[in-house]
């Protein structure tokens, strides 16, 4: 089986979605699929320093980058468009990632011309909150381009059951499948010493650390987090918040103002994006993990927080109802009062919180590793190619 994966960009500033596309490609390759990945060299207001227009071998897959032009929120690449229209017929199946993206349009068109089946992974971009953000532009684009492409897809690959529930109102005819993001178990079996993080950010040592790991973005619920942390700080004087993630939309000043308004900015460390050993050391150093999002596809960082054994506070916007059902995370409604109550509940009962974190770690290891996810997808993709029935979300 030969699969082409397309994604608008993989720059590090895009956070978890970029990481999940790469790790899924790696895992599909390890499962015996011949995987090629094409993308642009976009990385926020910069570009990725990579060779352009040539294959780069990555072990279990290969990747090719193309230059692009930016128009506000949109990226256009004539080079990737030409390449897709010329080469897409060489693949058995195409997997596109994200929607409202110009680089994916020639992939849809090429698949239609050459009768190549394709699977679309919206990655949370069809969620109600996501659709309501800059809604007027999305409404026009959706009607003209995305809706016809979604209706012709061999499958729409959702990351979570709640995400699949929420798009039912769009009345799409293509079959839905559920395939979540995952982690590599070996990355979390032994974490680095916390000192690696303390040496870089000494103000965090000897504190009760609450870790937010994600992009600094309006949808991430930093307004809720500021109020919840401000309340926690009044009860726990040694509480300290780590906000670890890139600011690729210029939202950092607004985020800082939230914490200033709740009189706790001096107990917040903004680290920027953490990668590699430093990120894993931050997980090791932390006492709690929090994700107060309005909307997520299926958060990679939530999986990482749970795999690290941290007591996790999530919102329903994180699209992980299975965590609440399994009693492995404290899942709150998407409002400041609920997030505050969930955080204080964890901090006021550290023994129960630690037990929940231990259950979370095993839950992720048992159900959300890339190896098992790739194996399940291999079966689904093979069924699509053979025009056989496959498990669908009803």
């Amino acid at each position: 089986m030969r699969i082409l994966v397309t994604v608008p960009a993989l720059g590090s500033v895009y956070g978890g979605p970029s990481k999940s596309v790469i790790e899924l490609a790696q895992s599909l390759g390890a499962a015996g699929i011949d995987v090629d990945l094409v993308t642009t060299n976009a990385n926020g207001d910069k570009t990725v320093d990579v060779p352009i227009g040539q294959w780069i071998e990555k072990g279990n897959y290969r990747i090719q980058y193309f230059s692009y032009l930016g128009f506000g929120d949109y990226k256009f690449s004539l080079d990737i468009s030409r390449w897709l229209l010329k080469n897409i017929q060489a693949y058995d199946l195409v997997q596109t990632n994200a929607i409202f993206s110009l680089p994916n349009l020639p992939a849809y068109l090429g698949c239609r011309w050459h009768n190549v089946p394709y699977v679309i992974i919206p990655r949370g971009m069809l969620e109600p909150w996501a659709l309501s953000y800059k809604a007027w532009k999305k409404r026009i684009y959706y009607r003209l381009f995305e809706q016809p492409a979604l209706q012709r897809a061999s499958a729409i690959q959702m990351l979570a059951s709640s995400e699949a529930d929420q798009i039912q109102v769009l009345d799409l005819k293509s079959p839905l499948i559920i395939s979540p993001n995952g982690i590599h178990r070996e990355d979390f079996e032994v974490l680095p010493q916390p000192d690696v993080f303390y040496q870089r950010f000494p103000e965090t040592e000897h504190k009760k650390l609450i870790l937010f790991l994600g992009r600094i973005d309006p949808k991430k619920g930093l307004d809720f987090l500021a109020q919840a942390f401000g309340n926690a700080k009044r009860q726990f004087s040694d509480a300290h918040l780590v906000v670890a993630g890139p600011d690729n939309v210029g939202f950092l000043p607004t985020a800082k103002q939230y914490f200033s308004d709740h009189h706790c900015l001096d107990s917040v460390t903004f680290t920027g994006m953490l990668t590699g050993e430093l990120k894993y050391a931050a997980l090791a150093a932390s006492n709690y993990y929090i994700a107060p999002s309005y909307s997520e596809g299926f958060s990679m960082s939530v999986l990482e927080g749970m795999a690290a054994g941290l007591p996790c506070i999530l919102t329903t916007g994180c699209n992980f109802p299975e965590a609440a059902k399994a009693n492995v995370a404290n899942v709150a409604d998407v409002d400041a009062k609920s997030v505050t109550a969930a955080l204080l509940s964890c901090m006021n009962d550290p023994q129960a919180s630690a037990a929940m974190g231990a259950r979370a770690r095993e839950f992720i290891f048992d159900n959300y590793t890339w190896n098992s996810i790739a194996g399940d997808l291999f079966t689904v993709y093979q069924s699509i190619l053979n025009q056989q029935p496959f498990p669908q979300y009803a």
Side-chain angles (χ1 to χ4, degrees):
M1 186 190 307
R2 193 175 185 207
I3 289 181
L4 176 66
V5 177
T6 71
V7 62
L10 286 175
S12 59
V13 301
Y14 305 116
S18 294
K19 180 178 171 66
S20 63
V21 170
I22 291 170
E23 293 194 351
L24 179 56
Q26 289 174 333
S27 301
L28 290 172
I33 298 174
D34 187 359
V35 179
D36 286 346
L37 196 162
V38 295
T39 187
T40 72
N41 64 339
N43 191 26
D45 58 359
K46 300 180 176 62
T47 57
V48 183
D49 184 16
V50 290
I52 298 298
Q54 63 186 67
W55 288 114
I56 302 169
E57 296 292 339
K58 292 289 187 178
N60 293 331
Y61 72 104
R62 62 180 187 167
I63 184 169
Q64 187 167 177
Y65 291 89
F66 295 85
S67 58
Y68 80 104
L69 295 173
F71 303 96
D73 293 330
Y74 296 102
K75 303 172 185 68
F76 175 73
S77 172
L78 184 59
D79 291 340
I80 201 172
S81 299
R82 288 170 174 162
W83 189 94
L84 286 166
L85 293 173
K86 179 180 178 182
N87 293 283
I88 213 162
Q89 60 188 318
Y91 295 89
D92 300 309
L93 184 140
V94 174
Q95 177 205 98
T96 69
N97 290 269
I99 61 171
F100 303 116
S101 170
L102 293 173
N104 282 337
L105 297 185
Y108 300 148
L109 185 59
C111 286
R112 188 177 181 190
W113 279 355
H114 298 292
N115 200 30
V116 176
Y118 63 91
V119 174
I120 297 176
I121 311 181
R123 298 199 171 274
M125 298 177 74
L126 288 175
E127 288 230 299
W129 188 94
L131 289 175
S132 68
Y133 185 66
K134 300 183 179 179
W136 69 271
K137 288 194 294 184
K138 289 179 178 177
R139 192 176 298 115
I140 296 169
Y141 193 107
Y142 178 79
R143 293 295 182 191
L144 289 176
F145 303 116
E146 294 296 353
Q147 186 178 44
L150 287 160
Q151 296 286 28
R152 296 187 184 103
S154 296
I156 303 172
Q157 187 172 315
M158 313 305 294
L159 300 176
S161 58
S162 51
E163 183 190 14
D165 286 339
Q166 290 167 347
I167 75 159
Q168 300 283 8
V169 296
L170 298 177
D171 196 29
L172 299 171
K173 306 303 181 186
S174 299
L176 303 181
I177 59 176
I178 305 294
S179 181
N181 290 326
I183 54 101
H184 295 294
R185 179 178 181 137
E186 58 271 20
D187 291 342
F188 294 89
E189 288 181 328
V190 180
L191 293 174
Q193 290 299 312
D195 287 348
V196 174
F197 184 74
Y198 297 145
Q199 288 168 9
R200 181 72 175 271
F201 303 101
E203 71 276 15
T204 65
E205 193 168 7
H206 307 304
K207 304 289 186 181
K208 282 189 175 69
L209 291 189
I210 304 164
L211 178 64
F212 167 91
L213 188 61
R215 288 178 292 121
I216 298 174
D217 185 275
K219 79 170 188 174
K220 294 295 186 176
L222 291 166
D223 49 349
F224 293 167
L225 180 54
Q227 183 170 340
F229 178 65
N231 291 332
K233 182 69 179 174
R234 283 191 286 275
Q235 291 192 31
F236 299 91
S237 60
D238 59 346
H240 194 93
L241 177 67
V242 175
V243 177
D247 173 28
N248 58 320
V249 295
F251 196 64
L252 181 58
T254 301
K256 287 186 174 181
Q257 188 61 49
Y258 291 149
F259 292 100
S260 180
D261 290 344
H262 289 281
H263 312 292
C264 56
L265 182 59
D266 58 347
S267 295
V268 183
T269 295
F270 292 87
T271 66
M273 186 172 183
L274 301 180
T275 59
E277 184 183 34
L278 190 58
K279 180 184 75 172
Y280 292 112
L283 289 164
S286 297
N287 302 96
Y288 307 94
Y289 170 94
I290 191 163
S293 292
Y294 286 96
S295 174
E296 295 283 348
F298 191 79
S299 172
M300 290 287 290
S301 64
V302 166
L303 294 178
E304 291 171 343
M306 295 175 74
L310 294 178
C312 293
I313 300 97
L314 320 176
T315 59
T316 53
C318 289
N319 276 326
F320 203 179
E322 293 81 3
K325 196 176 297 183
N327 193 26
V328 295
N330 198 331
V331 180
D333 292 334
V334 187
D335 63 70
K337 183 178 178 180
S338 297
V339 172
T340 298
L343 177 58
L344 289 175
S345 174
C346 284
M347 297 185 75
N348 280 314
D349 194 344
Q351 186 174 353
S353 295
M356 183 176 69
R359 293 194 304 272
R361 178 179 169 88
E362 293 307 312
F363 179 71
I364 299 303
F365 285 176
D366 289 345
N367 299 284
Y368 293 91
T369 62
W370 281 120
N371 288 344
S372 61
I373 291 164
D376 292 342
L377 274 181
F378 181 93
T379 301
V380 170
Y381 290 174
Q382 192 69 60
S383 298
I384 290 172
L385 296 182
N386 293 334
Q387 299 183 341
Q388 296 173 339
F390 54 86
Q392 300 178 29
Y393 182 81

